[in-house]
Amino acid sequence: MQYERIKATQLLDKVTTAEEAASFIKHGMVVGSSGFTKAGDSKLVLDALAKQVRPDPFKITLVTGASLGHGMDGKLANAGILAKRMPFQVDPILRKAINNGSVLFIDQHLSESAELLHNRNLPPVDIAIIEAAFIERDGSLVPTTSVGNSVTFAALAKQVIIEINTKVPEEIYGLHDIFQPEDYPHRNVIPIVAPENRIGRRSIRLDPQKVVAIVFSDVQDSPADIAPPDLKTTAIAQHLLHFFEQEVKKGVLTDRLLPLQAGIGKVANAVLSGFQNSNFYDLRMFSEVLQDSTFDLLDSGKLTFASASSITVSSACYDRVFGNLQKYKDRIVLRPQNISNTPGLIRRLGVIAINTAIEFDIYGNVNSTHISGTNIMNGIGGSGDFARNAYLSIFVTQAASKENQISHVLPMVSHVDHTEHDVDILVTDVGLADLRGLAPRERAQVIIDHCVHPDYREALQSYFERAKQERGGHTPHLLEEAFSWHTRFRETGSMK
């Protein structure tokens, strides 16, 4: 039965084991792998590569859509075969290797990887591993639960390994909208004016002569880590929903809002889940990832349509979606990430972007990637694609953590991913700061008044007042104190 998924019969003789397929990957190669936030990634070939006895040296550069599942990045890091990794990861083992310098990491806007490859600003992809539900008669690939950068890998890689995942039903055909913009200088308009517009193919073009191996798998995607809303995430959601209600009262938004984007994680899920008990309706999403909350909103009738690049859900939600795919198929679409995250579309559609910060400062600069300015957590992902181009750029985080020993609102962020120019709204469990139309000194006071945990408000107010008196300037700072909170935490275990 599984061979029926290879409809291009000239490729039947390419079926082999994961171990044989992995042997095509050689030292020094640039390897492209499908996968976006643990969805639609290589399940077997990369795993076989990590387990193989290899010559010394053996190093590869691995490029994906975003993060891989099943601990794959950690397995590859432990095997010592990663020289360089891009553009995103979430694995604790790989994170440690990046931070100790044994793996080089390029933290990249998710919309840019495909662009840089097409523009030949990165080394060419030697071999690609792409997960598919099946192979069409013309050799094209029907993706599984993500598209990511697979369209670019299929077009540009010299060789291609296909993993056919029989766990994904063939009924997934038609869920994808595969569109590849022209290369410069011949690029045309991307004709999407609403999230539900479908403009491309249902499968990924692939020259069958590139295929060197086909491997069958029946491994489900790694489940998303979904935490139920807690007091802090619920408070953040309530502050944000109240803000949207006020925007409707002012007449600048309607009860349908504008297309929504939300980053991954429990805060984003809590915010989206909050819409179920709101007055908003006929909502649409133009995002990167469809999470559990997306399907909850679809089921509740609040959400009409959702566009993204992957489906990353819990095990229970996976069974709900793929056990009843026809229910959702006409209301969701998966696109390449250089479409789902393309700046021009984000601005054209007027997306409301909601992303998570690690910390932000009193002037509205946001750090979403680094701890104490040095150690990376995951990466910028698509938050920058959306923040700079959104109708509303919103960042959320808890006001304080670790029994309030860490303040997430600081005099100055230790690393800047999103400058004050790209940030409209900041939200913590304490409150919401609307920064639109405010100069730096005004922004600082609004943030101190509305977002700071009570344990730190007096200290931040003191810093701001003394900075104005002693240094002045457009953006008052005391440079000798700007990072003292981080230093104090490193030395004492508390920012207090």
Side-chain angles (χ1 to χ4, degrees), residues 36 110 261 263 287-290 308-310 340-341 355 381-383 386:
F36 192 104
L110 294 187
Q261 176 264 337
S287 194
E288 307 160 285
V289 182
L290 306 184
S309 193
S310 79
S340 68
N341 288 47
N355 287 287
S383 59
F386 284 89

Side-chain angles (χ1 to χ4, degrees), residues 307-322:
S307 166
S309 193
S310 79
I311 298 172
T312 304
V313 292
S314 66
S315 294
C317 188
Y318 189 99
D319 293 339
R320 184 194 351 159
V321 173
F322 288 94

Side-chain angles (χ1 to χ4, degrees), residues 183-221:
D183 288 341
Y184 296 109
H186 305 293
R187 180 156 296 186
N188 208 332
V189 172
I190 300 172
I192 292 176
V193 295
E196 60 268 29
N197 292 158
R198 295 173 184 261
I199 61 171
R201 294 168 49 95
R202 299 182 179 187
S203 59
I204 299 172
R205 284 192 179 94
L206 176 65
D207 180 353
Q209 294 186 0
K210 290 185 178 184
V211 179
V212 295
I214 298 173
V215 176
F216 285 101
S217 84
D218 62 351
V219 182
Q220 189 169 304
D221 289 337

Side-chain angles (χ1 to χ4, degrees), residues 58-355:
F58 189 97
K59 296 281 187 180
I60 64 168
T61 293
L62 180 62
V63 188
T64 60
S67 55
L68 300 175
H70 299 284
M72 199 64 68
D73 272 320
K75 294 175 184 178
L76 295 168
N78 271 337
I81 64 177
L82 289 179
K84 189 175 287 187
R85 179 74 170 88
M86 67 180 83
F88 187 77
Q89 60 79 41
V90 298
D91 189 275
I93 297 172
L94 176 56
R95 182 184 304 133
K96 183 177 180 180
I98 292 167
N99 286 324
N100 69 27
S102 57
V103 176
L104 298 176
F105 180 62
I106 299 176
D107 184 20
Q108 205 163 57
H109 295 302
L110 294 187
S111 67
E112 290 188 350
S113 300
E115 300 295 313
L116 292 168
L117 285 166
H118 279 278
N119 298 337
R120 292 179 290 180
N121 293 320
L122 292 176
V125 178
D126 295 295
I127 192 164
I129 310 162
I130 302 175
E131 185 180 83
F134 62 90
I135 304 173
E136 283 275 49
R137 289 183 178 84
D138 62 358
S140 63
L141 307 180
V142 175
T144 57
T145 49
S146 73
V147 182
N149 282 323
S150 294
V151 180
T152 292
F153 295 150
L156 300 183
K158 300 166 190 173
Q159 298 178 314
V160 175
I161 298 168
I162 304 168
E163 285 193 26
I164 297 178
N165 193 335
T166 57
K167 201 76 173 179
V168 177
E170 289 190 65
E171 287 74 25
I172 201 169
Y173 179 75
L175 190 69
H176 310 91
D177 185 32
I178 307 303
F179 180 86
Q180 176 59 51
E182 299 86 354
D183 288 341
Y184 296 109
H186 305 293
R187 180 156 296 186
N188 208 332
V189 172
I190 300 172
I192 292 176
V193 295
E196 60 268 29
N197 292 158
R198 295 173 184 261
I199 61 171
R201 294 168 49 95
R202 299 182 179 187
S203 59
I204 299 172
R205 284 192 179 94
L206 176 65
D207 180 353
Q209 294 186 0
K210 290 185 178 184
V211 179
V212 295
I214 298 173
V215 176
F216 285 101
S217 84
D218 62 351
V219 182
Q220 189 169 304
D221 289 337
S222 284
D225 300 320
I226 302 298
D230 55 27
L231 290 175
K232 289 184 177 181
T233 57
T234 300
I236 290 170
Q238 289 174 343
H239 294 317
L240 200 45
L241 288 170
H242 177 71
F243 165 76
F244 290 140
E245 289 167 356
Q246 295 304 306
E247 293 293 283
V248 172
K249 287 181 180 178
K250 285 163 42 179
V252 296
L253 288 173
T254 72
D255 287 330
R256 292 180 172 89
L257 298 181
L258 285 165
L260 300 168
Q261 176 264 337
I264 60 173
K266 67 177 185 179
V267 177
N269 257 303
V271 170
L272 289 178
S273 296
F275 280 106
Q276 292 185 65
N277 300 314
S278 72
N279 294 321
F280 300 106
Y281 68 98
D282 194 21
L283 300 172
R284 287 168 170 77
M285 289 187 69
F286 190 81
S287 194
E288 307 160 285
V289 182
L290 306 184
Q291 303 177 82
D292 284 37
S293 54
T294 304
F295 293 96
D296 292 341
L297 286 171
L298 286 167
D299 288 344
S300 72
K302 291 287 187 180
L303 186 66
T304 302
F305 194 88
S307 166
S309 193
S310 79
I311 298 172
T312 304
V313 292
S314 66
S315 294
C317 188
Y318 189 99
D319 293 339
R320 184 194 351 159
V321 173
F322 288 94
N324 195 13
L325 197 54
Q326 293 304 321
K327 176 182 177 182
Y328 301 102
K329 200 168 171 182
D330 293 334
R331 295 192 288 163
I332 60 176
V333 66
L334 298 183
R335 311 182 194 271
Q337 67 194 67
N338 56 326
I339 300 298
S340 68
N341 288 47
T342 195
L345 292 181
I346 294 165
R347 182 153 296 196
R348 179 188 301 163
L349 298 177
V351 172
I352 296 172
I354 307 167
N355 287 287

